[in-house]
Amino acid sequence: MTVQAYKATRKYETFSYLPQLTPDQVSRQIAYAISLGWNPAVEHTEKGVDATSNYWYMWKLPLFGEQSVEAVLAEIEACHREFPDHMVRFVAYDNYTQSQGLTFVVYR
């Protein structure tokens, strides 16, 4: 029996413990958030040793009432083009609970 050593890598959110999401999986997560009526948003921050304690900058305002997955993906891509050396994450805000319903890093 072999024991696999824990790989010391920085974790940014729940999905970071999984393999990188494919573009189809990202689209389905965004579609899920939109289907729940959550408002999508895009955030970015610098990569670095202290990236988990850094402030995540909001890319534009949240996309209130957005129903198009393609529009959200276009904003994620625009943010990544503008800041190619930053991490970019998707955030879905839940109006009812006044909190984030879903967050995951799209570009590490």
Side-chain angles (χ1 to χ4, degrees), residues 8 27-28 30 33 36-37 43-44 47 49 52 60 65 71 82-83 89 93 103:
S27 295
R28 289 189 293 166
I30 294 170
L36 293 175
E43 296 178 345
H44 62 95
K47 292 180 183 176
V49 178
T52 56
K60 300 184 179 180
E82 182 76 22
F83 301 101
R89 74 178 176 183
Y93 291 102
T103 303

Side-chain angles (χ1 to χ4, degrees), residues 41-84:
V42 179
E43 296 178 345
H44 62 95
T45 191
E46 299 89 358
K47 292 180 183 176
V49 178
D50 297 326
T52 56
S53 63
N54 284 356
Y55 177 79
W56 285 81
Y57 308 103
M58 188 167 281
W59 171 258
K60 300 184 179 180
L61 291 174
L63 306 168
F64 296 108
E66 183 60 60
Q67 296 297 307
S68 171
V69 174
E70 291 76 25
V72 177
L73 288 171
E75 290 298 331
I76 291 171
E77 292 301 321
C79 181
H80 182 61
R81 278 193 309 274
E82 182 76 22
F83 301 101

